Amino acid sequence: WLKHLPNEAIPLCVCVRRQTERWRLCSGAASRATFEDEQPAAKVLQWPAPALLEGVKSRKRAVFSVESAKIVVGDGVSRISSVRLALESRVLASGAAGRALVEVLLGEQKLAAGQAKRHDAFRVARLGPNYIDSDQVVGEVIAEIAASAATAALQDRPQALVIDASRETLQQEAWALVLRHILESPEVRSFRGAVVVCADEETPLIKSICSERWTGADGWVWQEQLAGDDLEIWEDVLGGKPNYGQSSPSSDIVAELLKEVNEVGDKYFSEDVIEKSKRLGWTLSLLVEPCTDGPARLCGFLCHRLPTSKKNDLHIARLAVPEAQHKGGHGHRLMHWILRKAANMPNSECAWVSLSALDTALPFYEKFGFCDMTCDDLEDPDHFQTWMEMPNHSIVPDQVMSDDEE
């Protein structure tokens, strides 16, 4: 039939016929995806670099932080010990507590008490389903749409990006597809600013990106390292019924850990922690990294005394972390564990939490809300220890006694 067409139309018709034949072949054993794979790959846009912040020469330096504050989480108010964000941060904001912190970061919520510190020029962008057109999300262009959405969110070159992976937004199928491409892209890891993933479910993909977590429970909100998820607290290891969590350590493993406890105690307190705990009735608990193919690793220990009828305070007698385990957030993890234990006691049973802190550790305990209860001169060269207390922030209501009980 080509010989009946004008000469100038033949090349176009041949092209159309060949293209039609290719589509026909692809609809058989070869799929349409096979045909699409032969097309040139879509150009993926690079994420814009964050604008420079004056005075910030290290990506490790905090550009946003909150210490010793209170925040509204759900229907209640929780206390924040310490959270921070640096340009190198990759944070998983988990659950309701994480979302509340993200709202403070974005300026959508004010703290109930305290102040957030941030660099004067620090800017944050949120990346969510509002940056995509759901009707355009099809298989062959998802990567390009994901890159375009991220580029649009970062057009003002903010220093932090909040990626919305909440349960509500994931119900939108198009956004769920685009989000996966964003989280799998190398740009989310190479971005020179901070990345905060706001999620209700901690998936392996999200945890492969993030190294820290904003979370909360029992009236407290805190920041922790994801690497500590495998750690266990072995409670009351000197008692008759110790709680080893998921582990079943041999007596030899426990003995080795207790030996290390005494070595750390001798270094920091010049005392035999084991003997003193037994003599004074302290409960000794260990923060441990279990190991299936070797001895467990000691990451810290805490000694405490529970409230009694004569003293309605929970007393933290000793807390220490081996020098090799410093900078791992282990001291914070132990403190949140014991403060949450106190929070689950009614105020009639536990009204205060007390401790005697080495002067060098005062700033650490002040972040949790402890106050110096002495009139001592901290500048005295012979002064080395300070008595501190804080009210117990109980989440358990006191029982109202009936007339008969009274």
Side-chain angles (χ1 to χ4, degrees):
W1 56 270
L2 289 174
K3 63 183 179 180
H4 300 294
L5 294 175
N7 291 336
E8 60 271 18
I10 292 177
L12 175 61
C13 292
V14 172
C15 179
V16 171
R17 184 178 181 183
R18 288 176 177 171
Q19 192 79 324
T20 303
E21 180 65 11
R22 293 183 67 196
W23 274 98
R24 185 185 65 80
L25 291 173
C26 289
S27 65
S31 66
R32 178 180 175 181
T34 305
F35 170 73
E36 289 166 348
D37 290 343
E38 297 177 7
Q39 306 309 304
K43 182 179 180 181
V44 178
L45 301 175
Q46 295 296 317
W47 289 17
L52 297 177
L53 292 174
E54 183 177 357
V56 179
K57 298 181 179 180
S58 170
R59 295 182 66 236
K60 296 181 180 295
R61 176 178 170 179
V63 292
F64 170 84
S65 62
V66 181
E67 290 185 358
S68 304
K70 295 181 180 180
I71 186 173
V72 175
V73 180
D75 297 329
V77 177
S78 296
R79 299 183 66 88
I80 302 173
S81 55
S82 176
V83 298
R84 67 189 299 276
L85 193 72
L87 295 179
E88 69 171 7
S89 296
R90 295 294 183 270
V91 176
L92 165 58
S94 180
R99 284 196 303 274
L101 278 173
V102 166
E103 290 172 359
V104 173
L105 176 66
L106 291 166
E108 298 173 355
Q109 180 188 159
K110 292 184 178 180
L111 293 169
Q115 290 185 336
K117 297 180 180 179
R118 64 178 74 214
H119 191 283
D120 292 339
F122 178 60
R123 298 195 303 275
V124 187
R126 182 201 290 270
L127 175 56
N130 56 303
Y131 279 99
I132 68 169
D133 183 347
S134 300
D135 295 334
Q136 295 181 353
V137 177
V138 292
E140 63 269 24
V141 295
I142 290 180
E144 185 174 353
I145 291 175
S148 298
T151 302
L154 296 169
Q155 62 180 343
D156 293 331
R157 301 179 63 198
Q159 291 80 26
L161 178 66
V162 173
I163 301 177
D164 194 343
S166 62
R167 185 178 295 111
E168 180 182 357
T169 61
L170 290 179
Q171 291 177 354
Q172 305 176 39
E173 184 178 355
W175 172 244
L177 291 171
V178 170
L179 175 64
R180 184 169 189 86
H181 276 267
I182 291 172
L183 297 178
E184 289 178 341
S185 70
E187 285 76 20
V188 76
R189 293 170 172 80
S190 61
F191 179 56
R192 300 293 292 173
V195 174
V196 179
V197 182
C198 189
D200 294 297
E201 183 180 356
E202 300 185 3
T203 65
L205 176 57
I206 294 176
K207 295 178 74 172
S208 72
I209 296 169
C210 301
S211 58
E212 298 174 290
R213 178 192 289 116
W214 288 349
T215 188
D218 300 326
W220 284 91
V221 174
W222 65 89
Q223 181 168 334
E224 63 186 12
Q225 295 188 13
L226 290 179
D229 284 356
D230 294 333
L231 301 182
E232 295 179 350
I233 291 182
W234 293 357
E235 189 173 356
D236 195 14
V237 293
L238 298 178
K241 295 181 178 180
N243 180 0
Y244 294 119
Q246 301 297 318
S247 299
S248 301
S250 66
S251 57
D252 290 341
I253 290 178
V254 175
E256 283 298 316
L257 291 173
L258 292 178
K259 180 180 177 182
E260 188 176 356
V261 165
N262 260 348
E263 292 172 354
V264 175
D266 182 62
K267 178 176 181 177
Y268 292 118
F269 309 115
S270 301
E271 64 187 19
D272 185 327
V273 173
I274 306 299
E275 185 278 329
K276 195 165 188 177
S277 295
K278 292 178 178 178
R279 177 164 50 87
L280 298 179
W282 294 345
T283 298
L284 173 62
S285 300
L286 312 181
L287 180 63
V288 174
E289 181 182 359
C291 187
T292 57
D293 56 352
R297 180 182 303 171
L298 179 69
C299 296
F301 69 85
L302 185 148
C303 302
H304 73 277
R305 172 187 52 75
L306 290 171
T308 65
S309 58
K310 296 181 179 180
K311 293 184 177 180
N312 67 339
D313 68 318
L314 187 153
H315 179 64
I316 301 172
R318 296 289 184 269
L319 186 152
V321 174
E323 186 174 5
Q325 302 298 324
H326 284 187
K327 304 298 183 181
H330 302 318
H332 282 85
R333 192 175 290 266
L334 282 166
M335 282 299 297
H336 282 119
W337 171 75
I338 195 66
L339 291 175
R340 289 173 60 192
K341 181 181 286 290
N344 280 280
M345 302 178 189
N347 280 322
S348 58
E349 179 182 342
C350 179
W352 297 87
V353 182
S354 63
L355 56 87
S356 184
L358 296 175
D359 289 350
T360 54
L362 288 180
F364 171 79
Y365 292 113
E366 287 172 344
K367 292 179 181 179
F368 295 91
F370 285 92
C371 296
D372 181 355
M373 303 301 292
T374 71
C375 297
D376 297 347
D377 179 10
L378 298 182
E379 301 299 326
D380 184 342
D382 294 328
H383 193 281
F384 68 94
Q385 207 159 7
T386 301
W387 183 265
M388 306 184 80
E389 293 181 359
M390 67 174 286
N392 178 33
H393 303 284
S394 174
I395 61 172
V396 180
D398 285 317
Q399 293 184 352
V400 178
M401 292 188 296
S402 65
D403 294 338
D404 293 338
E405 290 175 323
E406 291 178 351

